[in-house]
Amino acid sequence: MKILRGRWRATAPAWVLAAVAMVISASVMMAPAAGAYVPRPDADPFYAAPADLADYPDGAITRSRQIPLYGLPLPVSAWQVQYRTNDASDRPVPGMTTVMVPNLPWFGPGERPLLSYQIAEDGLGSQCAPSYALRGGWEIGGISTWIDTPFLAAALLRGWAVVTSDYEGPQSRFLDGVNSGRGVLDGIRAARALAPGGIGPRSPLGAWGYSGGAFATLWAAQLQPDYAPDVRFAGITSGGVPANWPAIAQGVDGTVQAGLTMLVLLAVAQNNPDAGIVEMLNDRGRRMLAEDATACGLDLIVKYLNARVDDYTIEPNLLSHPSFRAATDPQELGAGAPRAPTYLYHSTTDDVIPVAGFTELLDRYCAQGADISFVYSLLPSHNPTAAGEAAGAMGYLADRFAGLPVAPGCHGG
């Protein structure tokens, strides 16, 4: 860790990065009073699919527009870019990404690096999408985007360009790995096609995500060799990695985070209409399915504080039912390990995503010969680890962008 922290300071002192990120974050939080009205994506014609979408190749830009990031006069150029991608059923769908470039020349070697940063979208409606908040849409569903602002700011302060895609797609499909991974990969293709601010074909490419963002990041890594062989990562970092979805849902059921259990249940029911999940809901559960079909994760956390799934079902222990496992099994990571050098981190006391699932996934990756540096963090619980381990994740990416070699195999730190 000393080496990673040293390289973090080599570009700019950590306290300077943190201070500037805090200023930007504070500006973001004050923006609602000054920002212009921004329509939700499902009410914005810019998001609508072009009639000839199927004629575009994967990742091709269908339209773009420049935006003020967060609706504020920040020293960052930003664009919303619509592109063609494909859902898990191989149907062409419109993707949306936000491309950000600092208003400074790139002084490093080679071309400006490009970081694909996956925000934890964690929602069932278009108002939960990162692009909405990044344009200045101010609703509670944007909290995941706002709290990731310091990480985006730190990357931009290094001079990196950043691409952040709405990887759940136009139907807001939470817990759909293929859909998410393809959305990330085609978003990167679109950012490269836009080619703003010194991004070029030789720009080193990295990917980073935490929690729900780690799910999308690692699904992109898993799909990359076959779906997007032209998208080659120099390095990948992910933390708070979701693995063993039934265990995640069971672990927070009946707690202050029970809304996350409901998010998983709702997504499984919506994404798998033939799985028999809906038929196991009672009247209260069916009302939940109707009322919260487009809710964001935070909405559900507030609404379902300490709730228990058994109060919404006619089948006891639904989260352990074979039908529930059959619906979540295809969404588990690990069928293919990342081909690029990868840095993974997870709290030993994670209160949202049990560390046992992380260990099992790590074992699968290592058995496949992946080159992975991993950290079992002693920081307490899920959210503090996201902040406390960010320097290590970013330092690892900086080393990969600089072309520094990694030791082969799996190594703990």
Side-chain angles (χ1 to χ4, degrees), residues 396-408:
Y396 185 87
L397 287 169
D399 287 349
R400 305 292 76 76
F401 289 162
L404 298 180
V406 297

Side-chain angles (χ1 to χ4, degrees), residues 121-124 174-175 245 248-268 288 292-309 312 319 324 351-352:
E121 195 164 342
D122 292 0
L124 305 169
F174 177 76
L175 197 51
W245 283 100
I248 294 170
Q250 292 166 8
V252 293
D253 188 34
T255 74
V256 293
Q257 301 271 19
L260 298 178
T261 302
M262 301 306 179
L263 174 61
V264 173
L265 177 59
L266 288 165
V268 168
M288 174 181 69
D292 300 314
T294 61
C296 298
L298 185 59
D299 301 322
L300 297 173
I301 288 174
V302 172
K303 183 174 181 178
Y304 293 102
L305 185 71
N306 298 323
R308 292 193 176 276
V309 166
Y312 296 82
L319 300 176
F324 187 80
D351 56 336
V352 176

Side-chain angles (χ1 to χ4, degrees), residues 102-362:
N103 292 343
L104 291 170
W106 169 246
F107 296 109
E111 295 180 342
R112 187 190 299 271
L114 175 63
L115 173 63
S116 179
Y117 186 88
Q118 283 61 250
I119 290 168
E121 195 164 342
D122 292 0
L124 305 169
S126 68
Q127 76 280 7
C128 319
S131 66
Y132 178 52
L134 290 170
R135 189 176 172 225
W138 295 98
E139 295 189 36
I140 193 171
I143 189 68
S144 292
T145 301
W146 304 339
I147 64 176
D148 274 7
T149 297
F151 309 132
L152 296 174
L156 292 165
L157 285 165
R158 284 178 173 268
W160 303 346
V162 179
V163 54
T164 297
S165 298
D166 299 352
Y167 52 80
E168 288 186 7
Q171 301 303 316
S172 299
R173 289 178 63 87
F174 177 76
L175 197 51
D176 186 333
V178 172
N179 186 76
S180 297
R182 289 176 172 180
V184 169
L185 293 167
D186 285 325
I188 291 168
R189 285 168 160 162
R192 285 176 160 177
L194 187 71
I199 299 174
R202 297 183 184 85
S203 290
L205 173 65
W208 184 13
Y210 191 83
S211 193
F215 176 77
T217 299
L218 293 174
W219 263 100
Q222 181 167 310
L223 298 177
Q224 179 272 328
D226 294 325
Y227 183 79
D230 55 305
V231 177
R232 297 181 180 177
F233 294 104
I236 295 168
T237 59
S238 287
V241 181
N244 193 337
W245 283 100
I248 294 170
Q250 292 166 8
V252 293
D253 188 34
T255 74
V256 293
Q257 301 271 19
L260 298 178
T261 302
M262 301 306 179
L263 174 61
V264 173
L265 177 59
L266 288 165
V268 168
Q270 291 178 357
N271 295 349
N272 305 272
D274 299 325
I277 304 300
V278 174
E279 288 73 18
M280 288 187 268
L281 301 178
N282 59 22
D283 289 343
R284 192 177 179 187
R286 290 172 184 270
R287 284 197 302 274
M288 174 181 69
L289 189 61
E291 293 174 1
D292 300 314
T294 61
C296 298
L298 185 59
D299 301 322
L300 297 173
I301 288 174
V302 172
K303 183 174 181 178
Y304 293 102
L305 185 71
N306 298 323
R308 292 193 176 276
V309 166
D310 278 354
D311 294 333
Y312 296 82
T313 68
I314 57 176
E315 180 73 30
N317 302 316
L318 183 147
L319 300 176
S320 300
H321 195 279
S323 294
F324 187 80
R325 170 65 78 175
T328 58
D329 274 352
Q331 309 310 326
E332 299 292 355
L333 289 157
R339 297 284 183 88
T342 300
Y343 179 93
L344 301 177
Y345 53 103
H346 203 102
S347 172
T348 57
T349 56
D350 195 306
D351 56 336
V352 176
I353 302 173
V355 69
F358 173 73
T359 298
E360 293 168 2
L361 177 61
L362 186 61

Side-chain angles (χ1 to χ4, degrees), residues 76-129:
V76 178
S77 295
W79 295 263
Q80 281 184 339
V81 181
Q82 187 191 64
Y83 56 94
R84 182 251 170 90
T85 187
N86 305 284
D87 66 15
S89 299
D90 295 322
R91 294 170 298 204
V93 292
M96 187 63 62
T97 196
T98 306
V99 182
M100 296 158 272
V101 181
N103 292 343
L104 291 170
W106 169 246
F107 296 109
E111 295 180 342
R112 187 190 299 271
L114 175 63
L115 173 63
S116 179
Y117 186 88
Q118 283 61 250
I119 290 168
E121 195 164 342
D122 292 0
L124 305 169
S126 68
Q127 76 280 7
C128 319

